[in-house]
Amino acid sequence: MHGRHLLVTVALIASATLVACGGLGAEEGGSGRNAINWYVFNEPGGSYDKAVADCNKEAGGKYQINYVKLPTDANQQRELIVRRLAAEDKDIDLIGMDVIWTAELAEAGWILPWEGEDKTVATEGKLEGPLKTVEYKGKVYGIPFTSNTQLLWYRKDKVDTPADDFTWDEMIDDAVEKNTHVEVQARQYEGMTVWVNALIAGAGGQIVNQAGDVKVDDTAKTAAEIVSKLGKSKAAPPGMSTNAEDQARQGFESGRSYYEVNYPFVYPSAEAIGKDFQKNMGWARYPRSVKGEESRPPLGGINIGVSKYSETPDLAFEAAKCIANEQHQGDAAELGGLPPTTESVYETDQVKKAYPFADVLRESIEAAAPRPVTPAYSDISLAVQKTYSPPDGIDPNGIVKKLKDRIEKAAEGKIF
Amino acid sequence: MATAQSAGAETVRQTAAPPKRGMTDRARAERKLAWLLCAPAVIAMLIVTGYPIGYAVYLSLQRYDLRFPDDKEFVGLSNYADVLSSWSTWWQDVINTLIITVVSVSIELVLGMAIALVMHRAIFGRGPVRAAILIPYGIITVVAAFAWKYAFDPTSGFIAGLPLISDTAQPLNTHNGSMLVIILAEVWKTTPFMALLLLAGLALVPDELHEAAKVDGATTTQRFFRITIPLMKPAILVALLFRTLDAFRIFDNIYIIQPGGALNTESVSILGYNVLINRVNIGLGSAISILIFVCVILIAVFFVKALGTSTAQQRGET
């Protein structure tokens, strides 16, 4: 008698828990066989909401996309996705992947390759840089949706227009002379890797090559010299070693700095300060690491991948193609400030109106240096951040050996 | 559990008048009952603590990265060798953790003692005084850490804006400053806990002893160091044990105040988190967790030994 009661109670609790788990992530919209859950960061401009609504309408009930919002912090997004995929979570159908995740997710076998017709749609008409970020070991693992890169922003009313071969050195010297600062992202986080990678690539080097071999050389020292020079100079903004994108934006908007290296979201943001401020805001290509080499700006953005554990991969591919189409790329540019990945979208009035700097943006994305394409990316990134922090405390002379050592350990799955 | 058992055995010895050899039937039955009564707790403990610890040990002996499931293999103790030979990471983090632990627990002990004395002697509004002192302990650590982070934020914090602190020497932009803020946040949050434990110890000190000493002409300081402190020693050791174990595992404060353990503020728990959760390197991460577990056991053994001798001494004296 008692035993049976206990059994019933346990069964009830268990089923309640199961129901609760099954409901996760599918709070809104459709559920059941045709639901497609898209896990992606929360785009506050509303362009992703619009894309989801459009596609659901177009699908006419064939599938129903649920927009599941991830945390804003890129590290937290990745942690959540990796943890769920490692546990073979069937709830994830589509993943809004940061461009640096492709190799990691593909190597682990967590995302499906794009083949045949799907592959054609994913790659057709795309810019070279973003396209590189979905390729891994000769296969395509996602559809490029939005891209991103950094530009050099400056105060037209305070400093001269930077020359085509404007270097970091010249910028720092000029800032010191004018008693102002240069805004960068130098906190010990992904942004530090973005900066260092761009500096190394700008000096003609790379951290890891396509085959995954460590290629750290003297260019790592060149990068360290720039980081250290700014860190130790008067041009270092207050709180440099803890500043991320938003602190840099605030620093520039507060007027303390005449130079800023940042993503294009700072331009619409400046409008809130006042039309005059925005009018005085100039833009140029990312500064050079060395005089004789073209700069290689950072490359960011979001690709859409299909989870291996999706129960309806066919519908998922279809939904991904709809989300990432030209129209929605234009919306993402207009509403969310996220640059398109398809070349032709840059010619539309929508994008030209949103970005007066569309040309330099596109040129930058084409010239951009992708971050290392390797499944151990996050380990390598941690090693880079650690090695170059804090900017005013690093020794450029020992950095090549230190970085090489750490990255080799990272790639071997050891502690560093 | 052990105390319950020995207490049980004592009563058994008392009831079973002349214990010749072995036990009476009744004693045996009681012992059996005692085991039966303990069994659910023991089984529950084995499931919720024994199994995970054993599993972590098992994982720590493997090369096991969630991203490279094919490379999974048994590697013996090499994960431990790797961690223990890394001077710039593991041992640096151990040093950071020890600095935070020793400094914060020392400050907490002094402050906690002062607060405990106030609470003990408070004549008016005992309830409100105690409640007010306990408020920080009732606040979630993450929330408290954010409060401290915002206060010291180099661009918008009100403390950072004080004329005492120059723009170039913001605490959160330096290693020492960050450690200081982390320790302050830790002290602010957990001093009440220390005070509460010490207050319980204070209540054990009989007033008659103080009065007798007063009659003999002992000063307040003498009475504090010669009577209060020795009698409170067990309570102090328990408080120190709890707080040291807690402080050694510090995570939330650092995670919020210097995300990722930037500026060399990484503690061992942050390292474990980075390896386990960020790098999803289950093997290496488990080895780190086990090493932290060993450190915690060492701390506990140290205090329990100290505690054991002190109580034995006391028993000998009385």
Side-chain angles (χ1 to χ4, degrees), chain A residues 47-269:
Chain A
S47 64
Y48 290 3
D49 290 296
K50 187 168 176 288
V52 167
D54 283 357
C55 291
N56 284 341
K57 205 169 152 197
E58 216 172 281
K62 195 172 171 195
Y63 57 76
Q64 177 82 25
I65 307 169
N66 299 318
Y67 172 14
V68 186
K69 291 164 187 166
L70 294 176
T72 39
D73 180 286
N75 276 343
Q76 288 176 1
Q77 290 169 25
R78 184 189 146 269
E79 279 166 16
L80 188 145
I81 290 289
V82 166
R83 218 160 41 213
R84 282 187 168 228
L85 290 176
E88 308 188 1
D89 186 352
K90 290 188 180 69
D91 197 54
I92 301 179
D93 297 292
L94 292 179
I95 308 157
M97 308 186 292
D98 199 309
V99 288
I100 50 186
W101 301 351
T102 312
E104 180 177 7
L105 302 189
E107 178 70 31
W110 290 331
I111 47 176
L112 297 172
W114 290 57
E115 279 152 351
E117 175 66 19
D118 293 332
K119 184 180 167 183
T120 315
V121 175
T123 54
E124 216 169 34
K126 297 290 184 329
L127 291 170
E128 186 66 19
L131 195 54
K132 280 241 162 67
T133 65
V134 293
E135 288 169 357
Y136 182 65
K137 290 192 173 165
K139 286 187 177 171
V140 168
Y141 282 95
I143 178 167
F145 179 23
T146 60
S147 187
N148 222 337
T149 191
Q150 295 194 340
L151 299 179
L152 167 61
W153 307 92
Y154 61 94
R155 289 279 295 272
K156 280 195 256 184
D157 52 338
K158 302 282 186 189
V159 298
D160 299 334
T161 308
D164 280 345
D165 60 353
F166 195 54
T167 63
W168 278 93
D169 269 339
E170 289 167 345
M171 176 163 70
I172 297 167
D173 291 341
D174 191 48
V176 171
E177 194 182 303
K178 296 199 164 72
N179 202 14
T180 179
H181 303 289
V182 176
E183 297 289 344
V184 291
Q185 293 84 51
R187 183 194 285 175
Q188 189 178 327
Y189 79 124
E190 186 58 35
M192 187 71 176
T193 311
V194 168
W195 188 24
V196 171
N197 187 63
L199 291 179
I200 291 180
Q206 54 183 349
I207 298 174
V208 174
N209 72 2
Q210 286 284 345
D213 305 319
V214 182
K215 288 285 170 195
V216 175
D217 56 17
D218 271 353
T219 51
K221 190 182 165 193
T222 312
E225 279 163 355
I226 294 169
V227 172
S228 167
K229 178 174 177 177
L230 179 58
K232 285 179 177 152
S233 78
K234 278 190 168 162
M240 177 173 167
S241 56
T242 49
N243 284 358
E245 286 86 357
D246 220 45
Q247 285 85 358
R249 173 186 66 82
Q250 287 167 7
F252 187 75
E253 287 176 0
S254 75
R256 76 179 179 199
S257 303
Y258 298 162
Y259 290 108
E260 173 189 24
V261 171
N262 213 335
Y263 295 98
F265 78 98
V266 298
Y267 186 74
S269 165

